[in-house]
Amino acid sequence: MSALAECLVAFVFGSVVGLLVQRSRFCNTAALRDAMLFKTFRNTKALLVAMMILTIGFTAFISIGAGNPMRFDVGVNQILGLFLFGTGMVLAGACTVSTWVKAGEGNFGAIWALIFTFVGMFLFSLIWSYIYWPPAPSAMTGELSVERLQFGFSNAETLQEKTGIPAIFFGIIQAAVLYGLYRAIKRREAASAATS
Amino acid sequence: MELFRKTLDPVIALSAIAVLDIFLFLIVGAWTVGGGETMMTGLIAQFILGDTIDRIPFWHEVFKPDAGYWKIYISLGMLFGAIVGAVASKEFFWRFPKRLSEWVMITVGGLLMGIGIRLAFVCNVSTFFGLTPELNLGGYLAISGILAGAWFGSLIYKRVLEGG
């Protein structure tokens, strides 16, 4: 597929996502923050349902060798980076999706958050240029590296290759766990509705 | 049109997005936002700094600025879709943070998001809508980080709310 066609597909996908997120008021920040702080789960349930669909869909296609899974080494930097990100998104009141969507609604706070996300990325590019960590894609080996705090690479594809069991099998197990969480939330909501 | 008069159930909206994301996964790759934002940062930096950006190794070893990078257009599409939705439903109006504490939290929050995305190589979207459904080890590491971070951020948020 040409680069232009890829960009067009991405733009159409993004446009539909922007419209649906704007109309549904879905927010990833609220899915985590509201569950922790206010014990409300409107966005959490939507996130879990989407993850169930995606897990089944992705692993089904990976089982037959289709799709474009992400391939890069992972390590301690994912924990540290998303810890900073998680703290930041609650403080900013928006995640990567809702900053764009709220910006589209005329929310200047979201535009401001977006500007400083770019500033943060640029600052990190300066830091990386001194420490060279986490490793650049060209320096990734796919193997465990204790001194680089990297665990290598593993996903549904590698699970399938190593065990000989189709990826969808593992996908069904993950989807069942996500469904268990969804059911627990529904039961909790039913119980609190009955007592109020 | 009904869609622009009533709020859509997020379960329905996210289910539709998930189905579309599966098609995107088959064509180019799963939904992500952080990569596109990084490329935009590189392009803006290149526009402002010119050739000086070549002296920063990150911008030629990790992300070489390229306007033809497909992930940029997901974010621009989201902005466009949100504007269409907000205008059609008469929900577009300029809003500004009112208190100084809000400006400070948004500024610090934005900076932490940007640093966090680049340190992790992933954002929240690729964590929940890409890596974890692909059963990628990075997804589980990222989820543990984002849950701890959201909990820590919630403590600060609560303290600011109570203080304000």
Side-chain angles (χ1 to χ4, degrees):
Chain A
M1 182 181 267
S2 72
L4 178 65
E6 286 182 355
C7 295
L8 276 172
V9 167
F11 185 80
V12 171
F13 172 81
S15 300
V16 178
V17 168
L19 180 67
L20 290 173
V21 171
Q22 197 279 329
R23 294 312 306 135
S24 65
R25 315 237 175 286
F26 172 77
C27 178
N28 202 168
T29 308
L32 303 181
R33 182 199 60 202
D34 294 356
M36 289 175 185
L37 214 54
F38 309 116
K39 309 295 177 208
T40 57
F41 303 96
R42 177 184 183 269
N43 292 287
T44 319
K45 286 184 292 182
L47 179 65
L48 288 171
V49 169
M51 287 178 76
M52 278 185 255
I53 295 169
L54 288 169
T55 300
I56 296 294
F58 286 175
T59 54
F61 282 110
I62 288 172
S63 298
I64 55 167
N68 296 283
M70 284 177 263
R71 293 182 181 89
F72 58 90
D73 287 2
V74 298
V76 174
N77 57 301
Q78 264 80 40
I79 304 172
L80 295 176
L82 265 292
F83 176 81
L84 293 179
F85 181 90
T87 306
M89 75 174 190
V90 173
L91 296 185
C95 64
T96 48
V97 179
S98 41
T99 44
W100 289 100
V101 171
K102 288 179 180 177
E105 294 175 333
N107 185 324
F108 192 78
I111 297 170
W112 191 254
L114 205 49
I115 292 168
F116 278 88
T117 300
F118 290 167
V119 172
M121 286 177 168
F122 185 73
L123 287 177
F124 186 78
S125 77
L126 298 177
I127 297 167
W128 189 91
S129 301
Y130 279 100
I131 62 173
Y132 285 80
W133 189 84
S138 58
M140 288 178 178
T141 61
E143 302 297 326
L144 175 74
S145 168
V146 178
E147 74 266 22
R148 290 173 148 199
L149 304 174
Q150 294 292 290
F151 306 136
F153 170 68
S154 116
N155 70 356
E157 250 178 345
T158 59
L159 266 176
Q160 181 169 285
E161 280 164 19
K162 282 180 184 158
T163 63
I165 300 168
I168 184 70
F169 173 78
F170 302 102
I172 290 169
I173 294 173
Q174 177 163 292
V177 172
L178 293 167
Y179 182 68
L181 285 171
Y182 179 81
R183 289 280 301 158
I185 290 173
K186 292 287 276 184
R187 274 199 298 271
R188 188 192 169 104
E189 284 181 334
S192 58
T195 52
S196 62
Chain B
M1 200 176 169
E2 192 72 4
L3 177 66
F4 299 111
R5 278 198 295 269
K6 276 169 61 179
T7 301
L8 188 63
D9 182 344
V11 173
I12 293 170
L14 266 284
S15 300
I17 291 171
V19 172
L20 291 173
D21 192 17
I22 294 169
F23 283 108
L24 193 71
F25 170 76
L26 290 172
I27 300 168
V28 279
W31 180 23
T32 173
V33 180
E37 288 184 344
T38 308
M39 197 56 88
M40 283 187 234
T41 303
L43 290 166
I44 295 166
Q46 191 178 46
F47 178 75
I48 295 169
L49 301 173
D51 293 342
T52 312
I53 199 171
D54 295 336
R55 284 193 263 152
I56 306 171
F58 180 90
W59 298 109
H60 49 84
E61 291 194 27
V62 184
F63 270 87
K64 196 165 175 53
D66 173 13
Y69 190 56
W70 63 273
K71 293 176 184 175
I72 294 174
Y73 300 92
I74 294 182
S75 299
L76 297 180
M78 288 194 301
L79 180 67
F80 174 72
I83 291 172
V84 170
V87 171
S89 56
K90 298 185 174 59
E91 288 175 3
F92 183 96
F93 57 95
W94 290 104
R95 281 157 278 202
F96 295 86
K98 290 184 182 71
R99 291 177 296 165
L100 178 65
S101 61
E102 284 181 76
W103 284 100
V104 172
M105 285 211 299
I106 292 169
T107 306
V108 174
L111 281 171
L112 288 177
M113 285 200 289
I115 293 169
I117 287 172
R118 278 309 1 121
L119 177 60
F121 272 119
V122 292
C123 63
N124 63 311
V125 171
S126 24
T127 297
F128 291 109
F129 302 95
L131 289 175
T132 308
E134 291 170 12
L135 314 187
N136 189 309
L137 174 63
Y140 306 115
L141 297 173
I143 282 184
S144 61
I146 201 169
L147 288 177
W151 173 78
F152 182 63
S154 296
L155 290 183
I156 302 171
Y157 183 84
K158 199 174 173 185
R159 186 158 288 196
V160 173
L161 271 186
E162 286 166 354

